[in-house]
Amino acid sequence: MSKTTGNVITPQELIDRYGVEASRMLLFTSFTFGEDGDFSFDFLDRQYNAKLANDLGNLLQRTVTLIKNSKIIVKHPREIHCADAYQALERVDFKAALEAVFLIVSEANQYINETKPWAIKDKAELQPILVSLANRLLTIAAGIEPFAPKTAAAIQDQLASLEPKPLFPKLT
């Protein structure tokens, strides 16, 4: 980006388009901190829709809805950590920290697709699946909390209230 050539993007433009926390996560997952990178709104729009709206947002919506509809009580452990993300943060490797979190998102989405909890009628069989998904979401919340504390709190709140709300509305 260069002021001379007129291709500067302001932080406010990012915030207006994605919000503060989504902008932070998109920038840290798309570019290595302290290094140059190719920037385009087109690229960030695709990343926003793929990672935030679809992968994370849909995972939370599906899980909360499944738990609510099953009427199964899902107890959560008192404290959950995202060790790989924390270790990357200690190295000031923001990209690796969020990549560790989004690996959990990806694995949880794969797990939900493989186990098909919406088709399971036996509550004894369904409960460990829902507990696993809820715990994975709490681990995700712990991992993104340094970058997106309000989003982390929203994940925790939705798992507690069982009231699903979109985390990141899909861009059109």
Side-chain angles (χ1 to χ4, degrees):
M1 289 192 257
S2 165
K3 284 193 236 176
T4 306
T5 59
N7 63 349
V8 174
I9 306 296
T10 67
Q12 191 61 50
E13 289 176 272
L14 291 170
I15 292 167
D16 291 345
R17 192 173 189 117
Y18 308 113
V20 172
E21 294 189 347
S23 294
R24 196 177 301 132
M25 287 191 289
L26 287 170
L27 291 174
F28 282 133
T29 58
S30 300
F31 310 104
T32 302
F33 183 67
E35 294 183 16
D36 291 340
D38 290 327
F39 178 94
S40 80
F41 276 117
D42 211 30
F43 172 74
L44 289 180
D45 287 353
R46 286 192 307 275
Q47 292 297 305
Y48 175 95
N49 281 333
K51 286 182 179 177
L52 301 179
N54 291 341
D55 292 349
L56 178 55
N58 285 345
L59 174 65
L60 178 63
Q61 293 268 322
R62 291 167 82 184
T63 302
V64 168
T65 300
L66 284 164
I67 294 170
K68 183 176 184 173
N69 292 343
S70 74
K71 297 186 177 29
I72 290 175
I73 307 239
V74 175
K75 296 192 184 221
H76 308 294
R78 288 187 179 171
E79 198 169 317
I80 288 199
H81 300 287
C82 189
D84 291 342
Y86 294 165
Q87 289 168 1
L89 281 174
E90 287 177 1
R91 298 187 313 271
V92 192
D93 190 344
F94 302 134
K95 185 173 184 178
L98 283 168
E99 284 173 348
V101 172
F102 281 97
L103 177 61
I104 298 168
V105 172
S106 177
E107 290 170 348
N109 276 308
Q110 183 178 356
Y111 179 71
I112 201 170
N113 289 333
E114 288 171 357
T115 59
K116 297 177 177 43
W118 55 87
I120 298 172
K121 302 296 180 214
D122 179 15
K123 288 190 176 197
E125 185 182 347
L126 182 58
Q127 184 168 20
I129 294 168
L130 297 180
V131 168
S132 176
L133 289 167
N135 287 340
R136 290 174 197 217
L137 279 160
L138 290 171
T139 302
I140 291 162
I144 66 168
E145 198 268 336
F147 303 95
K150 290 179 183 174
T151 302
I155 292 169
Q156 295 166 342
D157 291 346
Q158 286 189 43
L159 285 167
S161 71
L162 298 181
E163 294 300 325
K165 297 176 192 116
L167 278 180
F168 301 100
K170 194 164 184 159
L171 299 175
T172 54

